[in-house]
């Protein structure tokens, strides 16, 4: 759907160049919810704004639906903006207009529909976002969540193929955030709409995204399926973002033993399971087979986009009596294709 290829963007600030995007390449597939996460200033908004050319890249290519958008003339650009809808953090509604008029506005600009067709489309959109009863109210009379529903309906008015959401839930409380995310997921499925969603919250990524890209200082540092990135983060920044949201994959290895208390002495391992592996009674099997005891110190289980996962930190006991236990356990885990990390060696061995 979207191919971003070697895109860079440099701003001039008081005559000084500042690189906001540094040679970014990635692909966003049709029909997926693609998340972009990173710290403030990482370049998320700049990247997303290049997708409808609100920001023009300094170099590189952006292909949307087979078309290089950096080469479009102004008529082509107008058509592009209709195919790519956008939802904003602070809603950007017209305060003097009603809910229905706000949604009707982009249809009028499009200039292709009769008045009756516009009425019908507005009605359809009001139903879709659940605002039929608020149609004659003004934005000031709406809650934040309702305002964002208007923003979403407006962005969908001209039946875009892609919806860009820049921190669309950041101004909302957690419960309202959930309801807006559910709406976006519902729209994604029902309309087979591609959604590109920027957030600084890992929880949002986990709740709705299929794949995710992590930006740091203008660079793409990691990208992949959400479950894989959550369980097997490759980059320190990803791990830090996960740690801040208390997600699986998060723990800072060094501080772990201290955090878990002085009572632990044996080697610590982190086991990560995805899909099939997450449904097996692994720990009891290993205990029986290898005659070893595992102490579960920390654990998360759940689902990421429907994929069952689990992540456990376990301590292997009694290695002082049988020093071969650790090697046996590691071998058994490898045989079963279970991903694991040895977080640290037993204290006795280290001492
Ligand atoms: N119009 C602009 N002119 C000059 N510099 C800009 C402009 N827009 C963005 N920048 C700079 O580009 C960098 C990336 O900004 P961007 O807004 O894309 O970050 P972000 O990841 O969206 O951050 P946030 O999470 O705070 O929204 C920052 O250093 C910012 O100061
Ligand atoms: Mg931003």
């Amino acid at each position: 759907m979207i191919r971003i290829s070697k895109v860079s963007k440099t701003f001039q600030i008081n005559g000084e160049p500042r690189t906001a995007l540094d040679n970014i390449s990635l692909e966003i597939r049709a029909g997926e919810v693609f998340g972009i996460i990173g710290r403030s200033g990482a370049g998320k908004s700049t990247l997303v704004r290049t997708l409808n050319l609100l920001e023009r890249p300094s170099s590189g290519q952006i292909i949307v639906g087979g078309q290089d958008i950096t080469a479009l003339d102004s008529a082509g650009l107008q058509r592009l903006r209709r195919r790519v809808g956008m939802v904003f953090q602070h809603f950007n509604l017209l305060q003097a207009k009603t809910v229905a008029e706000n949604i009707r506005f982009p249809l009028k600009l499009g200039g292709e529909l009769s008045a009756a067709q516009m009425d019908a489309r507005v009605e359809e959109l009001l139903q879709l976002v659940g605002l039929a009863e608020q149609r004659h109210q003004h934005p000031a009379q709406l809650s934040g969540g309702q305002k964002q529903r208007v923003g979403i309906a407006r962005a969908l008015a001209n039946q875009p193929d892609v919806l860009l959401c820049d921190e669309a839930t950041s101004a909302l409380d957690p419960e309202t955030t959930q309801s807006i995310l559910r709406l976006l997921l519902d729209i994604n499925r029902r309309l087979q709409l591609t959604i590109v969603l920027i957030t600084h919250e890992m929880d949002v990524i986990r709740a709705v995204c299929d794949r995710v890209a992590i930006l740091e200082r203008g660079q793409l540092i990691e990208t992949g399926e959400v479950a894989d990135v959550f369980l097997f983060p490759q980059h320190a920044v990803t791990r830090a973002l996960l740690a801040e949201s208390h997600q699986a994959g998060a723990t800072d290895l060094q501080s772990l033993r201290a955090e878990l208390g002085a009572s632990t002495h044996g080697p610590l391992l982190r086991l990560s399971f995805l899909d099939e592996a997450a449904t097996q009674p692994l720990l009891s099997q290993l205990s029986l087979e290898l005659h070893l005891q595992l102490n579960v110190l920390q654990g998360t289980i759940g689902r990421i986009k429907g994929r069952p996962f689990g992540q456990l930190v376990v301590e292997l006991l009694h290695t002082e009596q049988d020093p071969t236990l650790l090697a046996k356990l590691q071998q058994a885990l490898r045989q079963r294709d279970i991903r694991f990390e040895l977080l640290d060696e037993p204290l006795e061995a280290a001492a």
Side-chain angles (χ1 to χ4, degrees):
M1 186 76 223
I2 299 174
R3 177 174 297 141
I4 299 166
S5 156
K6 298 184 183 159
V7 163
S8 294
K9 174 74 186 183
T10 305
F11 291 108
Q12 294 294 330
I13 299 176
N14 304 326
E16 294 281 309
R18 176 174 302 166
T19 305
L21 299 176
D22 186 1
N23 200 27
I24 304 244
S25 296
L26 59 88
E27 275 185 34
I28 297 168
R29 300 172 190 152
E32 77 177 338
V33 184
F34 191 91
I36 298 175
I37 190 164
R39 297 189 190 290
S40 187
K44 307 181 293 293
S45 296
T46 306
L47 179 62
V48 160
R49 288 162 61 85
T50 62
L51 300 182
N52 57 3
L53 243 48
L54 284 179
E55 212 67 78
R56 193 166 272 280
S58 309
S59 61
Q61 230 190 6
I62 298 172
I63 312 281
V64 178
Q67 201 171 29
D68 179 359
I69 63 168
T70 57
L72 291 175
D73 59 10
S74 66
L77 195 55
Q78 268 188 10
R79 279 196 300 275
L80 170 75
R81 298 240 167 97
R82 243 177 285 156
R83 279 163 48 211
V84 182
M86 189 149 182
V87 179
F88 302 89
Q89 178 175 359
H90 296 294
F91 324 122
N92 297 12
L93 303 180
L94 299 165
Q95 298 299 320
K97 292 191 182 290
T98 65
V99 167
E101 288 164 351
N102 266 282
I103 299 172
R104 195 186 174 93
F105 192 67
L107 296 172
K108 263 193 192 162
L109 288 184
E112 284 173 356
L113 302 183
S114 68
Q117 284 170 321
M118 283 194 272
D119 288 342
R121 180 78 186 131
V122 169
E123 193 54 41
E124 210 178 302
L125 289 159
L126 285 168
Q127 299 290 344
L128 181 71
V129 300
L131 284 181
E133 284 172 22
Q134 285 77 21
R135 73 185 76 216
H136 298 307
Q137 293 183 15
H138 285 82
Q141 300 168 300
L142 302 177
S143 70
Q146 288 171 330
K147 285 180 201 167
Q148 195 55 294
R149 285 170 188 269
V150 180
I152 291 170
R154 180 189 54 191
L156 294 176
N158 285 310
Q159 300 183 301
D161 306 318
V162 181
L163 186 65
L164 309 177
C165 305
D166 190 350
E167 302 277 7
T169 58
S170 298
L172 306 175
D173 64 52
E175 205 174 309
T176 313
T177 293
Q178 289 308 316
S179 82
I180 292 295
L181 292 178
R182 274 198 301 274
L183 174 64
L184 289 175
L185 258 187
D186 182 50
I187 290 167
N188 162 252
R189 291 191 187 126
R190 271 211 262 171
L191 309 180
Q192 271 134 42
L193 187 75
T194 308
I195 298 183
V196 183
L197 185 149
I198 295 181
T199 179
H200 58 271
E201 291 177 89
M202 277 291 184
D203 291 338
V204 169
I205 298 284
R206 181 175 153 189
V208 295
C209 295
D210 298 296
R211 293 192 308 135
V212 61
I214 296 116
L215 293 190
E216 171 77 355
R217 295 171 199 266
Q219 295 185 335
L220 175 68
I221 56 168
E222 188 162 347
T223 181
E225 290 224 1
V226 171
D228 293 320
V229 170
F230 270 62
L231 284 185
F232 314 117
Q234 302 296 312
H235 197 284
V237 170
T238 314
R239 282 195 283 272
L241 286 167
L242 288 166
E244 283 156 26
S245 69
H246 310 290
Q247 295 287 349
T251 327
D252 160 26
L253 309 190
Q254 271 68 42
S255 63
L256 187 73
R257 193 182 287 277
E259 206 177 278
L260 295 175
S263 61
T264 63
H265 300 284
L268 300 182
L269 294 95
R270 176 160 53 212
L271 316 179
S272 302
F273 323 90
L274 200 53
D275 304 322
E276 185 63 30
T279 63
Q280 307 287 323
L282 177 83
L283 294 192
S284 47
Q285 285 174 4
L286 289 173
S287 310
L288 285 173
E289 248 176 64
L290 304 177
H291 307 290
L292 49 75
Q293 287 187 35
L294 294 165
N295 188 13
V296 179
L297 299 174
Q298 200 179 57
T300 319
I301 55 170
R303 281 176 176 268
I304 300 176
K305 263 279 171 159
R307 293 171 73 181
F309 80 97
Q311 192 161 60
L312 301 175
V313 174
V314 298
E315 178 193 15
L316 177 59
L317 301 179
H318 308 310
T319 47
E320 66 282 5
Q321 285 148 33
D322 181 355
T324 67
L325 277 180
L326 179 59
K328 283 184 191 155
L329 175 60
Q330 287 173 303
Q331 193 191 2
L333 290 168
R334 282 193 198 99
Q335 277 169 357
R336 288 172 161 80
D337 258 342
I338 302 293
R339 292 277 286 265
F340 69 92
E341 292 162 85
L342 184 59
L343 298 185
D344 67 359
E345 301 283 344
L347 282 186
E348 293 86 345

